[in-house]
Amino acid sequence: MKVLVLGGDGYLGWPTALYLSRRGHEVGVVDNFARRQYDFELGAESLVPIASLQERIRVWQAVSGRVITPFIGDLTDAEFVYRVFREFEPEAIVHFGEQRSAPYSMIDRRHAVYTQVNNVVGTLNVLYAMAEINPAVHLVKLGSMGEYGTPNIDIEEGFLEVTHNGRRDVLPYPKQPGSMYHLSKVHDSHNILFACRNWGLRSTDLNQGIVYGQVTEETAQDPRLATRLDYDAVFGTVLNRFIIQAVLGHPLTVYGQGGQTRGMLDIRDTVRCIEIALENPPAPGEYRVFNQFVEEFSVKQLAELVARLWPGGARIDYLPNPRTEADSHYYNARHTKLMDLGLKPHLLSETLIESLFEVVERHKDRVNWEAIRPTVDWRRTHNAVGQVGMPVSRG
Ligand code: NAD
Ligand code: USQ
């Protein structure tokens, strides 16, 4: 299959591109390097050094004999998107190419506007290009479990059967997300559903939980194929951060009492879930939603697990929660569709955490300690975060 991976230079996009390439698909990657620019803006880099996209692609060709075609440009630039679609002629698109940090989107008005314009306009350009150039293309779009928020009822996979005044319907599940970033994903979901119904496009919206881990079979083949590992309070995600904090001897930063429960998955399951979605495409006009996570954990459980496994133990600090989120809540989210299609998940294991301890040990001298403590307060509309200019979306 010809697969275009949007955001193919990122944490998940790069390992996915390698995974698909190794399985014989013809892969193109699109990226504007916005993620590398946020690093400059925030003064924190990936803990594991990452090669340039050009070098990554060269090394992959040397290691595997397979070609990955790069397209450097911005998804908010419609002309660029149309040009890439015409040149590469994808049969499927995997869309990771968005600003994905909730704290980044909550820094101030500019960062919120940037996030929503970047994500919503980028996805709209993709939908219009599909409709005008080849409506048969399958769009696999990365959404987020956080789109649902934490309702006091079970979370279904995308849709909810509702009985109202004696009539029944199956409607999009109500969304109550907790950040401007997560809202951008909700807006995307609505736009994709509309495009499928209106133009007969086909799409899988993957409501993914929080990903952990850094190594896949493909990235392990050469250090220059490594994907990024973020530890800072803006882009680092919770379990990766706790593992890094333990190795550094920094207290584990639990926000509030750590009662927030989230769906999680291993990076090796992310790439496999994408493959499963691609191998089982929806019908023309179909918009379907898979909840893409494997296990649920509270933040406190994760901190206690890491503290127990790190030799000598780690201190856990309970910090005032900088986010507006329920500290203790009901959480029961359905996630059976990917399993039904054959996902054999990696469960969170002590071995995996211990192997990440080793990765972190090798690179711990690269840490900027100032970037670890949370600095974005959800209750403020202006946070003094970031050092230099931010990337601009064209709209
Ligand atoms: P990432 O920031 O590492 O990668 C995203 C990539 O997209 C970056 O390389 C960035 O430069 C690129 N990009 C952003 N805007 C672009 C634009 N306008 N044009 C071209 N390229 C652009 O993020 P990630 O962690 O790999 O996440 C990928 C996707 O998966 C995101 O959509 C995210 O919301 C979703 N997701 C991630 C996680 C997680 O835990 N990392 C969990 C659930 C969902
Ligand atoms: N948290 C802490 N301490 C920390 C970091 C986070 O207690 O040091 C808590 C947060 O308060 C939150 C939870 O851990 O309750 C998760 O935070 P996170 O930063 O790991 O994840 P989140 O902001 O939800 O975003 C990440 C990705 C995003 C993706 C989302 C999936 O950055 O792209 O969409 O996970 S989900 O959470 O299912 O929406």
Side-chain angles (χ1 to χ4, degrees):
M1 209 184 290
K2 287 182 91 172
V3 188
L4 198 55
V5 179
L6 312 180
D9 188 48
Y11 171 52
L12 303 177
W14 175 243
T16 302
L18 294 185
Y19 182 89
L20 296 175
S21 171
R22 184 167 169 210
R23 272 149 196 83
H25 299 293
E26 189 178 336
V27 176
V29 297
V30 174
D31 212 290
N32 67 347
F33 304 134
R35 179 68 194 87
R36 293 178 188 248
Q37 291 176 59
Y38 311 143
D39 280 351
F40 292 127
E41 181 192 355
L42 300 169
E45 286 178 288
S46 163
L47 184 80
V48 176
I50 50 169
S52 68
L53 180 60
Q54 290 80 350
E55 189 176 10
R56 286 173 153 182
I57 287 174
R58 254 197 321 275
V59 173
W60 178 243
Q61 190 166 356
V63 165
S64 71
R66 303 204 58 88
V67 174
I68 291 179
T69 312
F71 295 94
I72 309 308
D74 192 325
L75 295 170
T76 65
D77 174 355
E79 270 175 40
F80 166 73
V81 174
Y82 278 59
R83 184 169 62 70
V84 173
F85 277 38
R86 291 206 167 94
E87 246 172 62
F88 188 74
E89 298 181 331
E91 295 163 81
I93 296 167
V94 185
H95 184 5
F96 293 99
E98 299 200 332
Q99 191 301 97
R100 69 105 173 124
S101 156
Y104 190 87
S105 75
M106 298 299 290
I107 292 175
D108 59 9
R109 183 197 60 79
R110 278 195 321 145
H111 289 79
V113 171
Y114 164 77
T115 299
Q116 294 211 354
V117 170
N118 187 62
N119 296 0
V120 176
V121 174
T123 299
L124 274 174
N125 285 342
V126 169
L127 294 172
Y128 271 88
M130 285 170 62
E132 289 176 21
I133 296 170
N134 183 3
V137 170
H138 174 197
L139 173 65
V140 178
K141 167 67 169 53
L142 272 293
S144 178
M145 282 303 292
E147 290 182 42
Y148 298 112
T150 52
N152 200 29
I153 57 171
D154 292 347
I155 293 173
E156 303 298 326
E157 290 192 82
F159 295 89
L160 182 66
E161 194 178 310
V162 178
T163 304
H164 180 63
N165 292 346
R167 299 186 65 82
R168 276 159 47 129
D169 205 346
V170 177
L171 299 171
Y173 196 96
K175 307 279 180 78
Q176 302 177 84
S179 75
M180 289 293 179
Y181 151 72
H182 285 98
L183 275 162
S184 75
K185 294 284 187 190
V186 175
H187 305 328
D188 281 344
S189 294
H190 286 145
N191 290 342
I192 299 167
L193 170 61
F194 178 83
C196 290
R197 291 170 75 148
N198 205 49
W199 300 317
L201 303 188
R202 56 172 100 197
S203 180
T204 307
D205 201 348
L206 295 173
N207 283 339
Q208 185 169 238
I210 304 169
V211 182
Y212 57 84
Q214 193 258 343
V215 181
T216 64
E217 269 184 41
E218 292 76 27
T219 64
Q221 292 183 29
D222 188 292
R224 292 163 296 175
L225 297 175
T227 195
R228 49 184 313 128
L229 182 64
D230 294 303
Y231 63 90
D232 62 288
V234 176
F235 274 91
T237 48
V238 63
L239 181 53
N240 288 348
R241 259 166 75 72
F242 288 167
I243 290 168
I244 293 167
Q245 290 167 349
V247 177
L248 292 174
H250 189 288
L252 311 191
T253 54
V254 170
Y255 300 162
Q257 293 308 302
Q260 315 90 300
T261 299
R262 298 288 183 269
M264 317 270 306
L265 73 163
D266 187 305
I267 191 167
R268 293 169 295 177
D269 289 335
T270 292
V271 299
R272 172 69 182 131
C273 288
I274 302 290
E275 184 185 32
I276 290 175
L278 291 172
E279 284 172 346
N280 301 276
E286 186 184 354
Y287 167 81
R288 65 180 183 183
V289 179
F290 295 166
N291 289 347
Q292 181 168 314
F293 72 94
V294 167
E295 292 171 282
E296 291 170 5
F297 296 98
S298 73
V299 167
K300 186 168 190 270
Q301 277 176 318
L302 294 173
E304 286 174 348
L305 178 63
V306 172
R308 180 167 63 76
L309 292 180
W310 178 243
R315 201 179 94 200
I316 300 177
D317 269 4
Y318 291 88
L319 306 178
N321 197 334
R323 307 186 183 195
T324 312
E325 56 186 4
D327 192 49
S328 104
H329 56 86
Y330 179 75
Y331 199 77
N332 184 30
R334 187 184 292 276
H335 56 113
T336 52
K337 289 188 187 169
L338 282 160
M339 312 277 182
D340 292 347
L341 289 172
L343 176 66
K344 304 264 180 301
H346 294 87
L347 301 183
L348 179 57
S349 69
E350 301 191 354
T351 324
L352 183 273
I353 293 182
E354 282 157 5
S355 70
L356 281 171
F357 284 149
E358 278 170 38
V359 172
V360 176
E361 277 279 9
R362 283 202 292 277
H363 302 290
K364 65 181 184 188
D365 293 342
R366 289 168 51 83
V367 161
N368 169 4
W369 279 66
E370 284 175 17
I372 296 177
R373 291 255 151 189
T375 43
V376 182
D377 182 340
W378 256 231
R379 290 159 195 85
R380 294 172 186 269
T381 56
H382 188 87
N383 289 277
V385 176
Q387 301 176 343
V388 290
M390 50 186 290
V392 177
S393 275
R394 297 166 65 115

